[in-house]
């Protein structure tokens, strides 16, 4: 799929810019330090969470999209999460995602594979990917903090404009020092500081207050970690996954 043809007015003359192919970088992006985490053709650079290789089933590359097939709706039980080979601290992460009806997934960051391995998803801060209208998780948590674009179970997304189910959305996470911002379709929807008093208060009010999330240090405060795409038992599509180290 290609983006719409862009039209620019230059010196009074309409200049047509060729559409950018998904899963590619423009010369300007390359010069600015962006790197693709998904090349649109292979699973290079990814592996199963708590594994040495990529899952043998469930995840696949389909027409330039990295997708997880529908299973039973459970968290990381059928096929498992996938994580980047690399770990990141200060970064600008962008990704497109497309939901199917009633779907649940998530993009996690600062994921550290500490043992013992958790029963569900690997621990990390999560940009929620969800059908708010059809998935019951949207009504759980507190004040909408499990809806699309939110910092899952901690901070609800504000002023968001999610696209219709079946259309592409663009998520973005910018982490610099302790400060983190979430964007959904170009609008900043979450802003917080990891490790601040306010952040720790939110953790204390969330499911992340449980001991297992804090055995290897306070939840969400690791100095670096992997990027993770979640298997939550629903069909979700990803493309244009790219990152710039800050």
């Amino acid at each position: 799929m290609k983006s719409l043809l862009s039209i620019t007015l230059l010196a009074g003359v309409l200049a047509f810019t060729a559409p950018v192919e998904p899963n590619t970088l423009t010369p300007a992006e390359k010069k600015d330090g962006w790197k693709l985490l998904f090349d649109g053709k292979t699973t290079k650079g990814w592996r199963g969470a708590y594994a040495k290789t990529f899952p043998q089933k469930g995840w696949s590359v389909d027409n330039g999209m990295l997708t997880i097939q529908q299973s039973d709706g459970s968290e990381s039980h059928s096929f498992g999460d996938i994580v980047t080979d690399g770990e990141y601290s200060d970064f600008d992460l962008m990704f497109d995602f497309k939901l199917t009806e009633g779907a649940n997934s998530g993009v996690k960051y600062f994921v550290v594979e500490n043992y013992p391995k958790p029963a569900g998803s690997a621990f990390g801060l999560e940009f929620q990917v969800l059908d708010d209208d059809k998935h019951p998780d949207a009504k759980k948590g507190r004040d909408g903090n499990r809806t699309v674009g939110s910092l899952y179970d901690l901070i609800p997304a504000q002023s968001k404009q999610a696209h219709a189910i079946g259309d592409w959305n663009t998520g973005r996470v910018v982490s610099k020092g302790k400060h983190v911002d979430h964007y959904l379709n170009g609008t900043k929807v979450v802003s917080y500081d990891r490790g601040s008093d306010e952040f720790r208060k939110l953790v204390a009010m969330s499911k992340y207050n449980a001991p297992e999330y804090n055995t290897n240090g306070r939840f969400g405060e690791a100095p670096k970690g992997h990027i993770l795409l979640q298997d939550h038992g629903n069909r979700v599509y990803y493309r244009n996954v790219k990152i710039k180290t800050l």
Side-chain angles (χ1 to χ4, degrees), residues 210-237:
E212 59 265 31
Y213 290 101
N214 298 276
T215 300
N216 295 286
R218 288 181 180 270
F219 173 78
E221 299 184 32
K224 63 179 180 178
H226 302 278
I227 308 299
L228 176 149
L229 302 183
Q230 189 182 44
D231 165 24
H232 211 301
N234 301 131
R235 171 77 79 175
V236 181
Y237 300 87

Side-chain angles (χ1 to χ4, degrees), residues 171-239:
R172 184 180 185 185
V173 178
V174 182
S175 172
K176 181 67 173 176
K178 298 296 184 181
H179 188 76
V180 182
D181 294 318
H182 284 193
Y183 295 80
L184 180 62
N185 297 322
T187 299
K188 186 187 292 187
V189 294
V190 167
S191 187
Y192 70 100
D193 293 289
R194 297 190 309 127
S196 66
D197 289 344
E198 179 60 25
F199 176 80
R200 290 178 179 177
K201 288 177 183 176
L202 293 171
V203 170
M205 293 187 288
S206 75
K207 74 174 190 178
Y208 300 126
N209 191 43
E212 59 265 31
Y213 290 101
N214 298 276
T215 300
N216 295 286
R218 288 181 180 270
F219 173 78
E221 299 184 32
K224 63 179 180 178
H226 302 278
I227 308 299
L228 176 149
L229 302 183
Q230 189 182 44
D231 165 24
H232 211 301
N234 301 131
R235 171 77 79 175
V236 181
Y237 300 87
Y238 292 97
R239 70 176 186 184

Side-chain angles (χ1 to χ4, degrees), residues 121-138:
S121 184
F123 298 160
L125 297 160
E126 180 177 353
F127 182 109
Q128 173 72 309
V129 173
L130 191 79
D131 178 351
D132 289 349
D133 293 329
K134 298 292 181 65
H135 197 284
D137 211 27

Side-chain angles (χ1 to χ4, degrees), residues 11-29:
V13 179
L14 286 177
F16 292 85
T17 304
V20 177
E21 291 281 356
N23 310 308
T24 61
L25 297 173
T26 66
E29 286 176 320

Side-chain angles (χ1 to χ4, degrees), residues 19-242:
V20 177
E21 291 281 356
N23 310 308
T24 61
L25 297 173
T26 66
E29 286 176 320
K30 293 178 181 178
K31 185 177 180 180
D32 199 33
W34 286 93
K35 304 290 184 183
L36 287 175
L37 292 178
F38 171 55
D39 62 14
K41 300 175 183 178
T42 71
T43 59
K44 182 180 179 180
W46 295 85
R47 58 175 175 80
Y50 290 91
K52 295 182 178 180
T53 59
F54 196 82
Q56 294 185 352
K57 58 182 180 179
W59 290 91
S60 62
V61 177
D62 182 17
N63 292 322
M65 300 174 289
L66 182 57
T67 182
I68 176 70
Q69 75 180 53
Q70 182 71 32
S71 56
D72 61 0
S74 62
E75 179 184 328
S76 308
H77 283 172
S78 297
F79 309 116
D81 303 333
I82 58 174
V83 297
T84 54
D85 288 338
E87 294 181 281
Y88 304 91
S89 178
D90 292 346
F91 60 85
D92 190 344
L93 169 71
M94 296 189 71
F95 53 94
D96 292 346
F97 64 92
K98 182 168 64 173
L99 290 157
T100 55
E101 188 172 310
N104 185 359
S105 183
V107 176
K108 294 188 178 185
Y109 50 100
F110 288 105
V111 173
V112 180
E113 294 163 299
N114 290 316
Y115 287 86
K117 180 182 180 298
S121 184
F123 298 160
L125 297 160
E126 180 177 353
F127 182 109
Q128 173 72 309
V129 173
L130 191 79
D131 178 351
D132 289 349
D133 293 329
K134 298 292 181 65
H135 197 284
D137 211 27
K139 296 179 175 61
K140 298 179 181 179
R142 184 173 46 81
D143 300 328
N145 64 7
R146 294 188 179 187
T147 60
V148 65
S150 298
L151 176 61
Y152 179 77
D153 214 45
L154 295 172
I155 303 175
Q158 303 290 333
S159 304
K160 66 184 179 186
Q161 294 188 0
H163 296 159
I165 301 304
D167 291 341
W168 288 102
N169 291 272
T170 298
R172 184 180 185 185
V173 178
V174 182
S175 172
K176 181 67 173 176
K178 298 296 184 181
H179 188 76
V180 182
D181 294 318
H182 284 193
Y183 295 80
L184 180 62
N185 297 322
T187 299
K188 186 187 292 187
V189 294
V190 167
S191 187
Y192 70 100
D193 293 289
R194 297 190 309 127
S196 66
D197 289 344
E198 179 60 25
F199 176 80
R200 290 178 179 177
K201 288 177 183 176
L202 293 171
V203 170
M205 293 187 288
S206 75
K207 74 174 190 178
Y208 300 126
N209 191 43
E212 59 265 31
Y213 290 101
N214 298 276
T215 300
N216 295 286
R218 288 181 180 270
F219 173 78
E221 299 184 32
K224 63 179 180 178
H226 302 278
I227 308 299
L228 176 149
L229 302 183
Q230 189 182 44
D231 165 24
H232 211 301
N234 301 131
R235 171 77 79 175
V236 181
Y237 300 87
Y238 292 97
R239 70 176 186 184
N240 290 333
V241 187
K242 57 189 177 183

